[in-house]
Amino acid sequence: MTLAETNGITILVPGKLHPHAARRIDERFRLVMLDKADPSLVSPDMARDVKGIAGMTRIDAAFIDALPNLEIIANFGVGYDAVDAAHAGRKGVMVTNTPDVLTDEVADTAVGLLINTLRELPRAERWLREGRWEREGGYRFSRGSLRGRSAGIFGMGRIGQAIATRLAAFGLPIAYHNRRPVAGVPYAYHDSLLGLAGAVDTLICVAPSSPSTDKAINAEVLRALGADGVLINIGRGSTVDEEALIAALADETILAAGLDVFAHEPHVPEALLALENTSLLPHVGSASVITREAMADLLADNLVAWFVDGKPLTPVPETAHVGG
Ligand code: 8YV
């Protein structure tokens, strides 16, 4: 298929999408919007015409089945837990994500969140803005510091490795837990998350959401992390048992937590907001103008590559076998 011939191909966008991605799709394809990825909203025309989905929303098996001519789902984001990729793979539907282009941004955010959590920088800034520096004197010394810490990374993929490189430059020893050791990675490997938590005082979660990581960071892991322990989560909220974390922060089983992701976004439990020893961000890991635009471009480039060359740029492993 030539580039010009892609104009007649229908790409469905259920829910919201980055405007640059929508613009790029609209230039090249026939863009159709839908309120949400709900099979009951699929019209007979859509069922006949839709060959691609571009989205940042949940795409389940029922929605995939409602589109019999679907060839590709292009997911906005490196994490694609919202898409039933295993079902897509079984049905011969390609799934793509947006790796690499956000790696450094998310790693930078993780380090920023870690320093904010330890050195209490957002609270110190609030102190200044509220005029308390002038009225009451300097902000208290932070209980935490990066000095003397050892970092454990849960999930040693591209982002985990980028965080490790940064923290090694800060002088921290690094260890990690992953499903299996990663070739070429020089840091100490632990074959269990509990073992890693027991060996370090700073646990950084970058693991993807999956049944095997669901609530993996539980009360036992937090106990193993210990009283100087700090948890940073930049991966997915589902990986942490939020109730157990709230309890561990409240009774100082661990020192503090910095979270960019939550179990039920955008809801953040009142108890986490009330705790002094948390630093909380609204899932902004990759959310800079430059990086979100790069993700939008990669999403659109995947659709073009699929329909023009039959080979997307960044297929997910579950659908790597799917041919164009
Ligand atoms: C985005 C992310 O917030 O890439 C991911 O997996 O979590 C973030 O970059 C998300 O994809 C936006 O939908």
Side-chain angles (χ1 to χ4, degrees), residues 8-218:
I9 294 173
T10 301
I11 306 294
L12 182 67
V13 174
K16 279 196 256 170
L17 186 64
H18 189 289
H20 181 62
R23 222 171 14 248
R24 288 268 331 262
I25 294 168
D26 199 32
E27 274 165 24
R28 190 63 77 204
F29 303 97
R30 185 172 157 258
L31 173 70
V32 173
M33 318 280 277
L34 192 63
D35 268 1
K36 52 183 182 200
D38 178 342
S40 72
L41 300 179
V42 173
S43 68
D45 283 359
M46 277 181 207
R48 187 193 58 222
D49 295 341
V50 170
K51 290 202 167 161
I53 294 176
M56 43 192 277
T57 187
R58 179 157 301 283
I59 307 290
D60 63 13
F63 196 67
I64 293 171
D65 292 345
L67 298 165
N69 295 316
L70 184 63
E71 294 183 23
I72 180 168
I73 303 166
N75 179 66
F76 185 83
V78 66
Y80 55 95
D81 44 291
V83 177
D84 192 337
H87 186 72
R90 282 191 294 274
K91 296 206 65 170
V93 173
M94 173 58 69
V95 177
T96 61
N97 64 344
T98 61
D100 303 317
V101 293
L102 48 56
T103 299
D104 286 324
E105 197 75 75
V106 178
D108 292 349
T109 309
V111 174
L113 180 56
L114 173 61
I115 295 175
N116 277 355
T117 307
L118 288 165
R119 299 297 329 286
E120 306 172 17
L121 299 183
R123 285 177 191 281
E125 181 167 351
R126 199 174 320 139
W127 182 267
L128 175 153
R129 286 179 184 279
E130 288 170 354
R132 298 179 72 180
W133 187 17
E134 213 167 349
R135 281 198 313 273
E136 298 174 45
Y139 182 73
R140 71 180 183 201
F141 300 149
S142 66
R143 282 207 295 162
S145 167
L146 208 50
R147 299 304 98 217
R149 288 201 162 261
S150 59
I153 298 184
F154 176 29
M156 198 42 109
R158 285 167 280 231
I159 298 172
Q161 289 176 46
I163 295 171
T165 305
R166 283 158 177 72
L167 292 183
F170 278 83
L172 271 63
I174 315 282
Y176 73 104
H177 169 64
N178 203 58
R179 270 172 307 175
R180 58 189 84 86
V182 182
V185 164
Y187 315 111
Y189 176 70
H190 290 260
D191 62 8
S192 77
L193 176 57
L194 193 58
L196 177 68
V200 301
D201 55 20
T202 308
L203 183 61
I204 301 175
C205 174
V206 208
S209 171
S210 76
S212 67
T213 60
D214 192 49
K215 295 190 178 168
I217 299 178
N218 56 22

